[in-house]
Amino acid sequence: MLDRTRRRPGGRPGRWPSVVIVGSGIGGLCAAIRLKRLGVTRLTILERSKEVGGTWHANRYPGIAVDTSILNYSLSFDPNPGWTRLYAGGRELQAYLIGLSHRHGLRKHIRFGVTVEELRYDESAGEWSVGTVGGERFRAQIVISATGVLSNPAIPELPGLDSFKGRILHSAEWDGSFDAAGRRIAQVGSGATAAQLVPELARDAEAVHVFQRSAPWVLPRDDRPIGRFEAAVYRRLPWVLKARRWHRFWLNDRIALGFERQDRTIRRQEEIARAFIERSISDPELRRLVTPDYSIGCKRRVMSDDWYPALQRPNVELVPYELREIRPRSVIGGDGTEREVDTIVFSTGFQVRDLVPMKVFGAAGKELHDAWADGACSYLGLSVHGFPNLFFVMGPNTGIGAGSATFMIEAQVRYITDALGHMRRYRLHSVDVRKDVQDAAYEKVQARLSRSVYGSGCVGWYQSPNGKIDTLWPGLNAEYWWRTRRFVRSRYHCRPAGPGRTR
C-alpha cells in the first residue's frame, strides 16, 4: 500500500512500531484488523480468556442478547448480512467475533489465557514492559488497552453473604449447569441484564423475587427474526444494509443530542415508555412500581419486550427495595420482609469505575489510578498525559447513552492508527498528550455532562462517588467522530527517535 502522506523531511519513513493490544473483544479485534491492514507485523494480542469475544465470551447467562439493533452492532467494514434476529443473541455475536479473528488472520497474533497485571513505561527505550500474572513479560513501543468496562463483575458487600447455604451466581460468571427448575430465587438487580435473564428464570423456577432498587425506563425492543428474503437482500444489495445502518445511526444520534440538551426528545421518549407500561400492565400498583422517578436517559435505558410480561407471572414478585441482608437460607429486603430462597442471582453490573483492570506506571513512575483519583482525566478517552504511547479503546468518557459502541470504537481506532502512522513517518520515539490540552478537553466534557440528563440527579453506574461522570460522551456520536478524525501533532509532546529534544 502506497504511503501518500507527507514524510519527514530528508528521510524515509521508519518501521511500524511494535504493538501490544490488551483484550480481544470487539475493540481489540477492530484495532488489530486496522493495524494489520496498515502493515503492522509486530503485533501481539493478550487475552485472559480462552477465546475472543470479550463481553460476549464472558457473559453466558440465559437470554443474553444485544440491546442495540444488530444492523448497527457490527463493524462497518465487515458487516454480517446473515444475522438471524434484529437483536442477536450472545452466542451469535461471539460467533461473529470469532469469525473476524479467522477472516483477518488474527489468531496467530493472539496469546490466550494471559492476564495482564502491570504496564510499566521505560522512558529511555520508549517502550512499555507488559507484565502478566504468569510472570511473562512483553515489550512494545505502543500499548492499546482494549479491556472494555464490562469485564469485571461487581457483587455488593452485603451482611451475611458468606453465610448463605444455597447457590450464588453472577450473571457475568454464569454456571451453564445451573437449572432453575423448582428453585426459589432472589434476583438482585432490575436493569438491562435482569430484563433478559428474569424471563428465562421464571419459566421453570418455583419463585423469583426481583429486588429493584430503582425502576428502569423500559422501551419496546420490537425484536423479530430476519427472514431469508431480507437476508438475501442484504447479501446481494449491501448498500441496503448500509442505508438501514445509517438511518438507525441518525435516529439514535438525535436521541443522544436530546439527552445533552434535555429537550423535547426526552419528553417524547418518556411518552413512549409510559405508553408501553399502560398497554403492558393492567395492575395499577405494578404500574406505579415500574414507573421511574427520574428523567429518561439519566440511567441506562432498557430495551425489552419480555420484562413486563415476566413481572406479571404468578411465580414472580417485584420487590421495590434493595436487598439489605442475607441469612443462611433467606434474604431480607428494605421492606423488612424475610423471604426463603435457595439461590441468589446478582445482576449488579460491573466495576465500571475501575476503567483499567491492571496497574499502569507512566513516564515519571506515577500509577494511572493515582492520577485518576479525582476523576479519569483523559484526552477524548484516547490518551492520558504522562503515559506516552498508551492508547485506549472505549476509554473514559467514550460510552454512549444512545447508539452503538462499535461506531465509537471505529472512530477511536482510526485516530490511533493515524497516530501510529504519524510516528512512523516522522520517526518519533514517543507521543504524549499535553497536559493543558487534556485538562481543557476533560473540563469541557464534564461541564457538558453536568448540564445534560446524565447529570440531572439520579444515581447509577454512570456516576462516580465524587459526582463526576467518567463513563459517557456527552453529545453526538457524530461529533466524537469529527473530533477524532485525525491525529493532531500540536496537541502532543512528540519526541524524535535518537538524540534530540522533545518537540
Side-chain angles (χ1 to χ4, degrees), residues 219-241:
L219 295 169
R221 189 166 62 164
D222 295 329
D223 189 21
R224 60 172 176 79
I226 296 177
R228 292 182 179 180
F229 176 77
E230 184 178 0
V233 170
Y234 293 154
R235 283 194 301 270
R236 297 177 184 178
L237 302 173
W239 63 267
V240 175
L241 180 59

Side-chain angles (χ1 to χ4, degrees), residues 383-394:
S383 307
V384 178
H385 173 72
F387 297 83
N389 296 357
L390 174 64
F391 296 96
F392 298 91
V393 175
M394 292 307 293

Side-chain angles (χ1 to χ4, degrees), residues 55 67 148-154 189-194 213-214 216 294 297-302 347-355 394-402 405 449 454-455 457-473:
T55 294
D67 58 5
V149 296
L150 304 181
S151 56
N152 292 325
S190 59
T193 297
R213 186 171 56 181
S214 64
Y294 55 88
C298 188
K299 295 183 181 181
R300 183 182 179 185
R301 298 171 300 158
V302 172
S347 299
T348 45
F350 301 85
Q351 300 173 25
V352 295
R353 297 185 185 100
D354 186 10
L355 295 169
M394 292 307 293
N397 291 122
T398 60
I400 51 175
L449 285 167
Y454 311 119
C458 71
V459 178
W461 67 268
Y462 289 164
Q463 297 85 13
S464 299
N466 62 7
K468 291 183 178 179
I469 301 174
D470 290 327
T471 49
L472 296 178
W473 175 249

Side-chain angles (χ1 to χ4, degrees), residues 66 68-74 80-89 92 222-235 240-241 244 248:
V66 68
T68 300
S69 167
I70 201 63
L71 302 180
N72 288 80
Y73 199 90
S74 54
N80 177 16
W83 298 112
T84 61
R85 301 193 66 84
L86 197 59
Y87 290 82
E92 192 172 359
D222 295 329
D223 189 21
R224 60 172 176 79
I226 296 177
R228 292 182 179 180
F229 176 77
E230 184 178 0
V233 170
Y234 293 154
R235 283 194 301 270
V240 175
L241 180 59
R244 293 203 63 191
R248 283 184 172 268

Side-chain angles (χ1 to χ4, degrees), residues 164-180:
F164 188 65
K165 302 299 184 182
R167 292 289 304 272
I168 297 177
L169 299 167
H170 192 286
S171 55
E173 297 176 330
W174 196 258
D175 182 352
S177 66
F178 175 73
D179 185 359

Side-chain angles (χ1 to χ4, degrees), residues 61 114 241 284 291 301 304 316 373 400 429:
Y61 61 84
V114 176
L241 180 59
T291 302
R301 298 171 300 158
S304 176
V316 176
I400 51 175
H429 176 276

Side-chain angles (χ1 to χ4, degrees), residues 11 284 341 369 379:
V341 298
H369 297 85
Y379 176 63

